[in-house]
Amino acid sequence: MYSLRYFSNLFGIEQGNPGLYRSQYQSMAKQSLLLYTLAIITTISVAFINLEQAPIFLTIKLPAALLLADLAFFFWFARVPKKYKGDAYDRQALLRLHAAVWGAVLLGISHSIWALAMFEYSALAMRGLVTAFLSASTLGVAMCMMNLRSAALTIVISMFGPIVVYFMYLGDSSYRVSAINLTMVATVFALVLNRYSQDFVRMIKQQQIVEAKIAEVENLSKSNLALANEDSLTKLSNRRSFLFNLNKLVDEVAQSHSCGLAVGVLDLDGFKQVNDVYGHQVGDQVLVEVGLRLKNIEKDGVKIARLGGDEFGILMEGSLSEEELLEFGTSITDAMRVPFMVDDLIIHLGGTVGFARWGSVDDTGQKIFEKADYALYHAKDNARGNVIVFGKYHAETLRAVSNIDRKMQDADFDIEMSLVFQPIVSLSNSGTVGFEVLARWQSPSLGFVSPDVFIRSAERGGAINRLTATLLGKALIEAKTWPDHLYMSFNLSMHDITSARAILNLISIIEKSGFDPKRITFEVTETAIMSDRKLAKKSLCLLKHLGVKIALDDFGTGHSSLSYVRSLPLDKIKLDRSFINDIEHEEDAGSIVDVMVEMCRSLRVDCIVEGVETQGQVGVLTAMGCEFIQGYYFSKPLNSAATQKYLRAEFGENFTEVAISA
Ligand code: C2E
Ligand code: CA
Ligand code: CA
């Protein structure tokens, strides 16, 4: 059984490995011209040697027929027609290899029988010459077939076989010795041939392993590259890929000057609340759906990527007009407004988009992106849910803002920053109960900068924690001079309450000052809390632990739900002044304030109404049962000296001594 398998291995072709037989065929095809030249020369030579003795049938006709057969086989074997590709090519190669083995049998036997047929007519010396010719060329032909063991062995056996049999048959001892000698030569040759062809097969297989490894590495690096450039959640391109494509396109546009590009930034409106209220899993599903909608909107020349969180980047090729950008941006904001269905929840979101276009060769990818981001930031403030394209107006304000940002970075807070104090008054006894501390910046080069502007600038530039600490230190010194029953209300930024380190620093400043923490109220806005609810809540609890009070500032301008407000450790709520403006003349405005005041009462928190400017407003609020009021009606924010004067007017000349001795 084993020997049968060994035998079939020896003379068979390994069919399961197309790469191997393809290589075997190609290497044989390359040698085939050499092989047939050798066969032709040998046939002609043998015919020529016997030309005079043997009949014409054996010296001309039969060799001519054999040569024609050889030639026909050669032309067929040497080339697989171009129409065969891939698997079809492989099948043709395998067919030719099988044919080579059978060809070796037929042509080998026919050539050797033909040569032996002429022995009858030739002298002994001629017979020796023919045998030598045949042997030498058989070895040569077999060498040309070395890469296909079965064919090489077949040609050796089918050429030498008949000769050896014939010599043994002749019975003469010299013929028998020759037969034994030929057999030994053929055997040694077959052994060498076997080893060589095995080496060839091994080499090809080794090569295949190396090629497979290379392909595997290439595939791996391709998929790594795809992963490195893809956002795993939405399957859109990620920030890295977006910035890479942006910079590449900017370079191309700068070089060609022919067409432009535009960058858009989309920010989802209301997404943070979805995350907070329903959890990250629902948030993730919404983002996946957003990704699908954006993919549907993508078209030729437009690439959309997820930049992170709920922010997406849009890269558009070509010189696009403002109208075209607005139209495309609107298709995105429209798509974001369609309600999202997650499990059995229906979620309403929106999207705001800022666009900027490539303008000149000075525009880097970073610059265009910053402009788009600035347009978005503007849209968020002034046109939430809409599209804004960065224009001249934005360029001017951006220049001014960058200037302020630079000056803010270099500012000496101790010298340039000062404080003003605005009284908070109780309506029931018309007495001051505390002061809100408000910051003022007098920049040596810019002059007076509004707090709305410079607080944002400090937040952007990362200077806000340092600024808050400086302001709190200054405020505590001032507040120490006030009567003991007055409290100090101090504004915290979003970046203060979302940084544990900043909160601990503020606590240490309070402790070192010796000021009673119970007399401090920290004002925080809804948006600040909503930016990171968990962290904000932790900070508020830390502060509460110290004994300070917490007020929710600008209430009504954010999006927090009543149930969420209830879960916060709040002591006071400050109603935003936008609700007060029309309170005297519009019933609706009045009833909104009424509801809010009522809500504070049911939550058992103090309600402070901000921005009260007129006697009429005070009258309406008194009728509603409002207790605490802050606004120009009582006093504008006062500097330190004016505050002292205000206090003296209300509490008498010696209030400071009372405060200090206490
Ligand atoms: P805010 O916390 O809502 O402060 C109240 C703002 O309303 C103050 O503006 C105040 O001057 C103004 N205001 C008070 N009463 C009236 C009124 O009757 N009518 C009108 N029209 N306005 C009134 P200001 O001082 O310009 O501050 C603006 C904002 O800047 C503040 O709003 C607050 O968000 C921020 N800010 C001011 N100082 C600081 C600070 O020290 N730290 C932080 N983080 N933010 C501050
Ligand atoms: Ca405030
Ligand atoms: Ca406020």
Side-chain angles (χ1 to χ4, degrees), residues 124-309:
L124 195 63
M126 284 301 179
R127 289 182 184 180
L129 208 58
V130 167
T131 312
F133 251 133
L134 281 181
S135 309
S137 50
T138 302
L139 298 184
V141 167
M143 274 180 69
C144 292
M145 295 175 149
M146 253 184 185
N147 297 333
L148 185 65
R149 180 174 59 185
S150 43
L153 287 179
T154 309
I155 197 78
V156 169
I157 293 168
S158 52
M159 286 291 281
F160 281 111
I163 299 175
V164 168
V165 171
Y166 181 68
F167 280 10
M168 292 301 275
Y169 163 77
L170 285 179
D172 187 290
S173 60
S174 58
Y175 277 113
R176 286 199 171 164
V177 169
S178 299
I180 293 168
N181 186 268
L182 278 179
T183 310
M184 282 172 65
V185 169
T187 310
V188 169
F189 188 75
L191 287 173
V192 173
L193 208 136
N194 183 36
R195 193 166 309 144
Y196 176 85
S197 72
Q198 271 178 337
D199 283 350
F200 178 79
V201 169
R202 212 171 293 133
M203 186 191 83
I204 295 292
K205 286 185 174 171
Q206 209 76 40
Q207 211 169 309
Q208 285 178 332
I209 292 172
V210 172
E211 275 167 12
K213 278 266 175 274
I214 291 174
E216 197 182 324
V217 170
E218 271 175 3
N219 279 342
L220 214 68
S221 64
K222 254 188 224 157
S223 58
N224 273 348
L225 198 71
L227 276 183
N229 287 311
E230 188 187 88
D231 172 56
S232 55
L233 187 67
T234 58
K235 305 289 177 234
L236 290 169
S237 312
N238 61 13
R239 186 182 193 93
R240 176 216 296 249
S241 154
F242 180 80
L243 294 179
F244 175 81
N245 288 329
L246 167 62
N247 289 328
K248 205 170 100 192
L249 193 59
V250 167
D251 285 347
E252 283 169 17
V253 169
Q255 272 163 20
S256 69
H257 292 276
S258 54
C259 55
L261 72 102
V263 171
V265 187
L266 158 74
D267 191 273
L268 299 181
D269 302 325
F271 178 75
K272 282 194 180 72
Q273 283 85 326
V274 171
N275 246 353
D276 286 342
V277 175
Y278 302 114
H280 285 271
Q281 242 176 348
V282 172
D284 281 358
Q285 288 185 61
V286 170
L287 285 176
V288 170
E289 174 63 25
V290 168
L292 288 175
R293 290 185 190 179
L294 292 176
K295 267 213 170 92
N296 276 340
I297 294 173
E298 253 181 341
K299 55 181 183 182
D300 270 358
V302 177
K303 288 192 185 112
I304 303 185
R306 181 172 172 220
L307 303 176

Side-chain angles (χ1 to χ4, degrees), residues 439-461:
R440 296 290 176 259
W441 181 26
Q442 186 70 32
S443 156
S445 50
L446 300 169
F448 178 78
V449 184
S450 148
D452 285 320
V453 173
F454 75 74
I455 294 291
R456 279 197 177 197
S457 167
E459 286 175 342
R460 270 195 305 276

Side-chain angles (χ1 to χ4, degrees), residues 355-398:
F355 270 116
R357 280 171 293 179
W358 181 86
S360 71
V361 274
D362 298 336
D363 271 347
T364 59
Q366 166 99 8
K367 269 192 195 169
I368 308 170
F369 185 78
E370 275 172 10
K371 284 182 194 171
D373 205 35
Y374 187 74
L376 168 71
Y377 165 84
H378 241 256
K380 278 266 183 197
D381 271 357
N382 308 306
R384 196 172 263 264
N386 291 301
V387 188
I388 283 194
V389 180
F390 187 92
K392 258 193 195 143
Y393 165 76
H394 303 103
E396 275 160 26
T397 50
L398 180 59

Side-chain angles (χ1 to χ4, degrees), residues 78-92:
R79 223 173 56 87
V80 172
K82 279 203 177 106
K83 63 177 178 182
Y84 296 108
K85 293 203 167 66
D87 288 350
Y89 176 91
D90 289 347
R91 276 194 296 278
Q92 288 294 320

